[in-house]
Amino acid sequence: MPFTSLIAPASPLNAQQVQDLQKLVSQLNPIQQAWVSGYLAAAAQLASGTAVAGAAAAPQQAAVLTILYASQTGNAKGVASKIKAAAEAQGVAVQLQDIASYKTNGLVKEKFLIIVTSTYGEGEPPESAVSFHKFLFGKKAPKLPDLQYAVLGLGDTSYEFFCKTAQDFDEQLEALGAKRLYARADLDVDYADAAATWQQGALEVFSPLLKASGAGSAQVIAWPGSTATAGHHNPYDKQNPASAELAVNQKITARNSTKDVRHIEISLADTGLTYQPGDALGVFFDNDPALVDAVLQATGTAADAEVSFGAQTLTLRDALQRELELTQSYPSFVEKYAAATGNSELQQLATDKTALRAYLAERQTADVILQHPAQLTAQALVDCLRKVQPRLYSIASSQAEVGEEVHLTVGVVRFDAFGQTHLGGASGFLAERLEEGGKVRVFVEHNDNFRLPDNDTPVIMIGPGTGIAPFRAFLQERDNAGATGQNWLFFGNPHFSRDFLYQVELQDYLKRGVLSKLDVAFSRDQAQKVYVQDKLQAKGAEVWNWLQQGAHLYICGDGNRMAKDVHQALLQIAETHGGLSADAAADYFEQLRETKRYQKDVY
């Protein structure tokens, strides 16, 4: 008997709910269907105040530690998962959830809450936390006198608004009447040890209170997939990257282009790594040996001197080449290096945060050392530097198309300064120093907040420059799935003849109907600059029509300017072609964000 026939008679569900339920059930195996049946039965009995013998235990909200993570690159999720495991080991029931999918109307019912959050850009919440942040600071935010909480911030001191989102959450929860159980910590990129210390201290406070509330005997049943992506069983992660092989390094911009963009293909054979369109690849890299030699000479240190780095003992050369950051600059290095060398100029500079950031904007970490050489011990030099962090690249392929490979679209960071050519750490390694066939350490960073919808749903993709990467993966995925949903891509770059990334592929997709519409903006090919946001507004009526038909909207690329300009263009489209007021337009796109119809992968 068809599923719809089973629920049609006297059904309290509307047509859309029936359709949604049918779609969910079709994706579940019999065991999962039985689990859902028991879960819903228990929830219904709990709501009516009765109990069902043998039914699945329903969550006991007052006795649960809720842990929310707001992650831009996956770090906050990793830390939150470790807190969850440690709490459960102490007999505490835990609900771990991505803050993007958290129902804000449940906040007033929470008793114990930990938030682990990163910060993006100029002190902004990560994309997954935008809605929660707006709610917390909005008119609908409730008073929270019964909530006890703690906040852990992850950030990067190279940015001016270090851990601003964590500070916002911490201060606003207190302002709403909640009680801070444990002091907030704001952690830099090398956060692992400090996060473990914070975790231990926080649970020493939370656990006794939770157990006293009955949490020790409670068992929380999480909705399948609520804390992790179903089907992800990769054996490698950031702490344990896989060793993969560089298969292809191909320049895809013209010789006379102002940009150097590489199409990178990495073999995942024998790694077991899997990914989905929308995920990112974390890439560890070795520093340039010539740069390492220059630093050794400037500091008068011996390459073979033994140094301690974390739990490791290794030579200084190995530490500088594989373990320590020499390219990305950050204020705390200048402070430490100034103190270690007694350099009065740097010490003075370190006292002026604005001047220090302007100084570092033009320099890599190694530049500071080379411009201020000083005799140091090997260990003192290591203690000044921080652990190198992997760079994350949006994956530009679908495994349905490429199998045991992963493709990247890498813009090479290259600039001339102080009489020398400078290269970015990871982009320089992939493009210039790693030979095809050479090994690179990688891991997959899953991003469940940048996912394709069902195959019959239309999508609008806005990805200028290397922002096209995930949309190449989207198109490959939909092509192989035989998806019927229409696909509209907006792409931009300076010049048609020099910078049209993946031109042949896109034109083939257009010819075959996989790509329904392609709008391009080559900003320097005419007197007046034209960008993707201009193309969007020019097609505003049609864009609005697609959105009204249920299209999902995606943006990938520069978050500081492009994504904000595109958002403003979308607001204008809603006002002009949807007849909405400015406030209603903002609310409309906020609703799209909350229902995951408006997703961003920005950097």
Side-chain angles (χ1 to χ4, degrees), residues 260-329:
D260 181 355
V261 178
R262 305 296 178 99
H263 172 73
I264 300 292
E265 297 182 6
I266 295 172
S267 171
L268 299 179
D270 301 323
T271 68
L273 286 176
T274 61
Y275 59 88
Q276 298 181 54
D279 289 341
L281 189 75
V283 176
F284 283 94
F285 58 93
D286 292 352
N287 285 311
D288 186 345
L291 192 62
V292 170
D293 287 339
V295 168
L296 290 170
Q297 183 176 355
T299 56
T301 47
D304 59 355
E306 285 197 346
V307 294
S308 297
F309 181 68
Q312 303 181 73
T313 299
L314 63 171
T315 68
L316 179 58
R317 178 180 292 282
D318 286 345
L320 292 173
Q321 194 151 329
R322 288 177 60 89
E323 304 292 344
L324 298 168
E325 182 66 74
L326 293 181
T327 49
Q328 188 181 66
S329 57

Side-chain angles (χ1 to χ4, degrees), residues 74-328:
N75 291 336
K77 178 180 179 180
V79 170
S81 298
K82 289 183 177 180
I83 297 174
K84 172 182 182 288
E88 289 177 334
Q90 296 179 21
V92 171
V94 181
Q95 173 185 321
L96 174 66
Q97 195 167 357
D98 185 340
I99 204 167
S101 58
Y102 181 74
K103 301 299 183 183
T104 52
N105 58 8
L107 186 61
V108 70
K109 302 174 185 177
E110 298 285 1
K111 302 299 181 183
F112 301 97
L113 174 68
I114 289 177
I115 297 178
V116 184
T117 181
S118 61
T119 296
Y120 166 75
E122 298 177 0
E124 300 161 10
E127 186 62 27
S128 62
V130 169
S131 295
F132 185 87
H133 191 276
K134 287 185 176 179
F135 169 78
L136 208 61
F137 284 85
K139 296 178 181 179
K140 295 183 179 181
K143 295 298 182 183
L144 302 169
D146 298 325
L147 178 65
Q148 301 180 84
Y149 75 95
V151 177
L152 178 62
L154 304 182
D156 185 340
T157 53
S158 64
Y159 290 91
E160 181 176 358
F161 300 98
F162 174 61
C163 288
K164 179 68 164 56
T165 302
Q167 296 164 19
D168 288 348
F169 286 158
D170 188 30
E171 293 168 4
Q172 186 62 7
L173 287 172
E174 183 180 43
L176 293 171
K179 178 183 178 182
R180 184 185 299 107
L181 271 187
Y182 195 69
R184 185 189 78 247
D186 298 334
L187 308 185
D188 204 354
V189 293
D190 194 6
Y191 58 81
D193 291 343
T197 300
W198 188 91
Q199 167 188 297
Q200 180 180 353
L203 291 182
E204 285 177 357
V205 177
F206 273 88
S207 291
L209 295 175
L210 281 153
K211 291 176 180 178
S213 300
S217 58
Q219 182 178 0
V220 177
I221 302 178
W223 189 266
S226 63
T227 62
T229 302
H232 291 342
H233 301 291
N234 288 340
Y236 299 102
D237 56 20
K238 181 179 178 181
Q239 285 69 43
N240 180 36
S243 178
E245 181 178 298
L246 176 65
V248 173
N249 168 13
Q250 178 184 4
K251 187 175 181 181
I252 55 174
T253 46
R255 184 175 300 176
N256 58 347
S257 173
T258 57
K259 297 185 175 185
D260 181 355
V261 178
R262 305 296 178 99
H263 172 73
I264 300 292
E265 297 182 6
I266 295 172
S267 171
L268 299 179
D270 301 323
T271 68
L273 286 176
T274 61
Y275 59 88
Q276 298 181 54
D279 289 341
L281 189 75
V283 176
F284 283 94
F285 58 93
D286 292 352
N287 285 311
D288 186 345
L291 192 62
V292 170
D293 287 339
V295 168
L296 290 170
Q297 183 176 355
T299 56
T301 47
D304 59 355
E306 285 197 346
V307 294
S308 297
F309 181 68
Q312 303 181 73
T313 299
L314 63 171
T315 68
L316 179 58
R317 178 180 292 282
D318 286 345
L320 292 173
Q321 194 151 329
R322 288 177 60 89
E323 304 292 344
L324 298 168
E325 182 66 74
L326 293 181
T327 49
Q328 188 181 66

Side-chain angles (χ1 to χ4, degrees), residues 35-50:
W35 188 96
V36 171
S37 176
Y39 178 92
L40 293 177
Q45 293 298 330
L46 181 66
S48 64
T50 61

